[in-house]
Amino acid sequence: MVGPPGAGKGTQAQILASELSIPQVSTGDIFRANVGGGTELGQQAKAYMDRGDLVPDEVTNAMVADRLGQDDARAGFLLDGFPRNVAQARALDGILEDLGQRLDVVLELVVETEEVVTRLSGRRSCRSCNHVQHVIFDPPRTPGVCDNCGGELVQREDDQEETIRHRLRVYEEQTAPLVDFYRERGLLVSIQATGSVADVTARALAAVPTGE
Ligand code: AP5
Ligand code: ZN
């Protein structure tokens, strides 16, 4: 899944992974869990994430190789937030080759810049289960409490307006070239990521092979 920060990758990946019965592999979520747990990986990643820069490729690629090698990924997986540049895409080719796997589809979520700034400024994420809500677009039943698990909803460190703008620049410079990269391979499907969450899910499900 590829798209700018705030396009709804995490929101859709969680739903699609559940619909397709495959694990969601979100590099952002794995990094945040490591930052929260104070691991060595978390310490390596934290400063980059707080600035809105990409964590170095060798750290990220090794983490993804390890994750995709786990048993639950054998029957498939949904990548959310990886690859993030052409070097990572080439590393992914090698990882998949080693595992005897291949990409079925690259789903691009298309949404305008001002919309993603609004989405990210109002985003709240659950500390316990990673469920994502929005103060206006998906308000929690009880303010500050996750609708999914009752955990605490918090604002991400990198969701300050200045950092959001920086992440958008990083996306344009480093990640957007992947759209052409995968289009040339015939793997790209682009969908509009505006409208309700359910509308976007329906478009996404229509675009991905279900294996049935
Ligand atoms: P990561 O966690 O991947 O962040 P991101 O790409 O910036 O994407 P976001 O999580 O901000 O947005 P999203 O598209 O998932 O949107 P969401 O569904 O939450 O990466 C964070 C950092 O980790 C990076 O900056 C980097 O440092 C590091 N990192 C991660 N991967 C890396 C890699 N491969 N290499 C190097 N470094 C890496 O939705 C946003 C909001 O909008 C929510 O509030 C949601 O409720 C709302 N919303 C969703 N859909 C809709 C809708 N249809 N209508 C209205 N509101 C909606
Ligand atoms: Zn929760």
Side-chain angles (χ1 to χ4, degrees):
M1 198 170 255
V2 64
K9 300 182 298 296
T11 301
Q12 294 300 331
Q14 203 165 45
I15 300 169
L16 294 173
S18 156
E19 289 279 331
L20 302 170
S21 303
I22 51 174
Q24 168 195 4
V25 175
S26 160
T27 43
D29 284 351
I30 301 174
F31 281 134
R32 277 184 291 280
N34 278 277
V35 170
T39 68
E40 199 185 320
L41 179 63
Q43 285 164 17
Q44 286 173 316
K46 186 174 188 313
Y48 296 98
M49 297 179 76
D50 286 350
R51 286 197 302 270
D53 284 326
L54 297 185
V55 178
D57 290 343
E58 53 277 19
V59 174
T60 308
N61 295 339
M63 179 178 90
V64 171
D66 177 69
R67 179 65 188 87
L68 296 187
Q70 289 170 22
D71 283 347
D72 68 336
R74 236 178 249 167
F77 43 80
L78 198 165
L79 284 169
D80 158 20
F82 182 91
R84 259 315 217 274
N85 58 33
V86 171
Q88 290 185 8
R90 295 198 193 287
L92 178 61
D93 287 340
I95 294 169
L96 294 178
E97 196 179 323
D98 288 347
L99 293 168
Q101 301 256 31
R102 66 182 161 79
L103 287 180
D104 292 317
V105 64
V106 175
L107 189 65
E108 182 196 10
L109 298 187
V110 178
V111 55
E112 281 174 14
T113 303
E114 283 319 303
E115 172 72 14
V116 302
V117 174
T118 308
R119 287 187 185 182
L120 292 176
S121 313
R123 170 164 61 186
R124 299 294 181 272
S125 310
C126 177
R127 238 188 234 290
S128 308
C129 77
N130 280 332
H131 181 65
V132 172
Q133 300 204 221
H134 191 281
V135 290
I136 297 162
F137 303 135
D138 182 15
R141 287 190 292 271
T142 309
V145 178
C146 171
D147 280 355
N148 190 41
C149 79
E152 186 191 359
L153 289 175
V154 293
Q155 185 165 31
R156 265 170 49 175
E157 292 277 345
D158 57 351
D159 277 349
Q160 311 298 325
E161 176 146 358
E162 211 174 297
T163 317
I164 293 171
R165 301 261 175 212
H166 181 70
R167 285 160 58 208
L168 286 166
R169 280 196 296 276
V170 170
Y171 177 80
E172 282 309 321
E173 285 165 17
Q174 302 193 46
T175 310
L178 289 181
V179 170
D180 282 336
F181 180 90
Y182 284 120
R183 186 182 289 123
E184 280 162 22
R185 291 190 177 190
L187 288 173
L188 190 80
V189 179
S190 301
I191 61 167
Q192 282 298 325
T194 44
S196 71
V197 170
D199 287 345
V200 181
T201 304
R203 280 178 219 134
L205 282 173
V208 302
T210 58
E212 280 160 15

